[in-house]
């Protein structure tokens, strides 16, 4: 898990925190880990993206470059099967795809250097592109974007060996100002995307919509709206599906809401899915805007929902078959912590409190 402010990142791994200088010159908007959790990308209002590599327990910045002409809202990794590929989106109304090229110059007395090349710039949006996400690996190399004008666009790489050629495959209007999106990773269900809106007008209705791809019509269609969430939504995330018969979706606004979606459609049917939507949990005791990060580990069977100051877990063992979500750790900012205290921060048990360096008002938690 991560917290960040303008100048520092605080990384928490199994409740052990490390503080590193981010070297960004403005607010950090997103932090994204790669598939293996050993590489990290950050993006900022300073128009740059930085890539970090974990080496002997220390995070080293191995690349930094200007990606857009406006604030960079999101950065995300593609599955490593497609190489070292990043996607970014920005206030400048574009999204971009970047690929890393490694060159070994050790034979010349130097060391290996990594260069990130812009493979394509997606310029179809007329407003700020607010989120971007690669599809699950089994769907191929697809990329979804959402914009402030309410339009979702889905692109596909024509040739995964040539990332300079992307085609716009689908485009649909959600009739809401969009702030975030999330792909459902389940292989057992038709492709599905959740979108969230940060529209402050509560009379507009539900702020989260679910879209599903129909093989029959070859179109994306809205199958559900979650009307229980009327506050502006800043983040949505589908939990990895670990063999459940239902889907879990976390929704972050000024509180955290976790809903389950059970498909009521019979197998083999061609009609759009119809879901039984049930609120599994709701947590209102946050002190600021909530963002979400998911950690899934088959070895411990935990799905962790990381929010601004609290960590929630639902353990998928039989003892917790009643969907008992509980707070397992609270992260508190301590701007007065000394360097020695920062270096020794850790929690001996799941219910411990962590004192993390940083100023909560200067960043967000993802």
């Amino acid at each position: 898990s991560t917290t960040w402010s303008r100048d520092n990142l605080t990384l928490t791994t199994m409740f052990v925190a490390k503080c590193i200088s981010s070297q960004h010159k403005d607010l950090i908007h997103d932090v994204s880990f790669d598939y293996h959790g050993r590489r990290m990308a950050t993006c900022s209002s300073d128009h740059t993206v930085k890539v970090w590599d974990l080496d002997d327990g220390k995070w080293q910045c191995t690349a930094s470059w200007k990606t857009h002409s406006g604030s960079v809202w999101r950065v995300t990794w593609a599955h490593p099967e497609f190489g070292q590929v990043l996607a970014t989106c920005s206030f400048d109304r574009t999204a971009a795809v970047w690929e890393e090229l490694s060159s070994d110059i050790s034979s010349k007395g130097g060391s290996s250097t990594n260069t990130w090349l812009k493979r394509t710039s997606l310029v179809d949006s007329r407003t700020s592109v607010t989120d971007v996400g690669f599809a699950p690996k089994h769907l191929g190399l697809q990329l979804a974007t959402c914009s402030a004008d309410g339009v979702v666009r889905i692109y596909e790489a024509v040739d995964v060996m040539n990332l300079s050629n992307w085609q716009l495959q689908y485009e649909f209007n959600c009739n809401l100002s969009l702030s975030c999106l999330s792909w459902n990773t389940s292989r057992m269900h038709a492709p599905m995307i959740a979108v969230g809106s940060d529209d402050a007008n509560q009379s507009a209705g539900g702020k989260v919509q679910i879209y599903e791809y129909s093989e029959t019509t070859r179109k994306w269609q809205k199958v559900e709206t979650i009307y229980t969430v009327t506050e502006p939504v800043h983040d949505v995330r589908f939990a990895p599906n670990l063999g459940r018969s239902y889907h879990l979706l976390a929704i972050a606004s000024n509180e955290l809401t976790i809903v389950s979606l059970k498909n009521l459609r019979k197998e083999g049917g061609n009609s759009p899915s119809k879901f039984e939507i049930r609120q599994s949990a709701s947590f209102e005791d946050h002190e600021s805007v909530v963002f979400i990060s998911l950690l899934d580990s088959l070895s411990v069977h935990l799905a962790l929902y990381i929010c601004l100051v609290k960590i929630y877990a639902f353990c998928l063992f039989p003892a917790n078959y009643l969907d008992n979500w509980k707070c397992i750790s609270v992260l508190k900012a301590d701007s007065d912590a000394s360097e020695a205290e920062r270096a020794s921060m850790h929690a001996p048990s799941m219910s411990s409190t962590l004192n993390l360096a940083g100023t909560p008002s200067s960043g967000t938690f993802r």
Side-chain angles (χ1 to χ4, degrees):
S1 63
T2 56
T3 62
W4 59 88
S5 62
R6 172 169 175 168
D7 300 316
N8 294 290
L9 287 168
T10 300
L11 306 181
T12 306
T13 306
M14 294 304 292
F15 311 121
V16 177
K18 297 180 180 179
C19 186
I20 62 176
S21 175
S22 73
Q23 304 173 20
H24 279 291
K25 298 178 181 179
D26 210 329
L27 293 177
I28 300 173
H29 293 290
D30 199 10
V31 176
S32 177
F33 289 91
D34 75 342
Y35 180 82
H36 301 290
R38 299 190 61 84
R39 308 196 78 188
M40 176 177 67
T42 60
C43 63
S44 167
S45 281
D46 64 7
H47 305 180
T48 68
V49 164
K50 296 181 185 294
V51 172
W52 308 75
D53 287 279
L54 187 61
D55 184 18
D56 292 332
K58 296 182 180 180
W59 288 96
Q60 303 290 338
C61 183
T62 56
S64 177
W65 71 100
K66 181 178 179 179
T67 55
H68 293 272
S69 59
S71 295
V72 187
W73 302 133
R74 304 273 185 162
V75 58
T76 186
W77 296 83
H79 192 277
E81 178 179 291
F82 305 110
Q84 294 300 302
V85 180
L86 286 172
T88 56
C89 63
S90 170
F91 180 76
D92 68 5
R93 302 180 296 180
T94 70
V97 177
W98 307 83
E99 184 178 22
E100 183 183 41
L101 296 182
S102 298
S103 58
D104 190 354
I105 60 174
S106 58
S107 58
K108 300 180 181 180
S111 59
S112 296
T113 59
N114 298 328
T115 302
W116 288 85
L117 298 180
K118 180 189 284 190
R119 290 306 190 187
T120 192
S121 185
L122 308 174
V123 297
D124 298 286
S125 177
R126 296 183 179 181
T127 58
S128 174
V129 182
T130 53
D131 202 357
V132 60
F134 286 102
K137 183 189 68 170
H138 66 272
L139 296 178
L141 191 52
Q142 296 189 61
L143 181 69
T145 68
C146 66
S147 304
D149 60 3
V151 178
V152 174
R153 296 176 175 88
I154 298 176
Y155 301 85
E156 185 170 14
V158 176
D159 179 2
V160 296
M161 302 302 294
N162 178 16
L163 300 186
S164 300
N165 190 0
W166 291 74
Q167 288 188 356
L168 177 61
Q169 299 289 353
Y170 307 101
E171 179 178 301
F172 52 92
N173 197 325
C174 302
N175 298 314
L176 280 175
S177 176
L178 298 180
S179 58
C180 51
L181 62 82
S182 177
W183 289 86
N184 183 8
T185 60
S186 174
R187 291 174 173 264
M188 307 304 295
H189 195 277
M192 190 161 61
I193 291 177
V195 296
S197 171
D198 58 0
D199 188 347
N201 181 14
Q202 296 189 15
S203 62
K207 294 295 191 294
V208 177
Q209 298 177 357
I210 310 294
Y211 286 82
E212 180 184 77
Y213 180 72
S214 171
E215 289 287 353
T216 303
T217 63
R218 296 190 178 276
K219 293 181 179 180
W220 286 83
Q221 51 194 353
K222 183 169 68 173
V223 292
E224 289 292 350
T225 299
I226 299 178
Y227 292 101
T228 55
V229 179
T230 58
E231 295 287 336
V233 172
H234 310 288
D235 212 354
V236 292
R237 284 293 181 271
F238 275 107
N241 191 300
L242 302 178
R244 294 186 304 267
S245 60
Y246 56 92
H247 309 291
L248 280 176
L249 179 67
I251 304 167
S253 54
N254 289 331
E255 60 187 53
L256 173 67
T257 302
I258 301 170
V259 298
S260 65
L261 299 95
K262 185 175 183 180
N263 194 359
L264 301 178
R265 183 182 65 181
K266 295 181 179 180
E267 290 189 17
N270 294 322
S271 60
S273 295
K274 181 66 177 177
F275 293 97
E276 176 188 345
I277 301 176
R278 185 172 61 84
Q279 183 169 301
S280 298
S282 179
F283 302 97
E284 303 176 356
D285 50 350
H286 296 282
E287 299 175 0
S288 185
V289 173
V290 179
F291 287 85
I292 307 167
S293 179
L294 299 181
L295 172 63
D296 167 50
S297 172
L298 289 174
S299 60
V300 294
H301 291 207
L302 282 177
L304 297 185
Y305 287 77
I306 315 299
C307 314
L308 182 64
V309 292
K310 298 202 173 183
I311 301 177
Y312 298 91
F314 166 55
C315 185
L316 300 179
F317 290 118
N320 283 327
Y321 69 95
L322 294 177
D323 287 3
N324 291 326
W325 289 86
K326 65 179 181 179
C327 179
I328 62 172
S329 187
V330 179
L331 308 182
K332 291 185 178 181
D334 184 3
S335 58
D336 298 325
S338 66
E339 290 298 327
E341 290 172 332
R342 295 181 187 183
S344 62
M345 286 187 294
H346 64 87
S349 66
M350 295 183 73
S351 61
S352 299
T353 299
L354 302 180
N355 293 316
L356 302 185
T359 306
S361 60
S362 62
T364 54
F365 186 94
R366 182 173 302 282

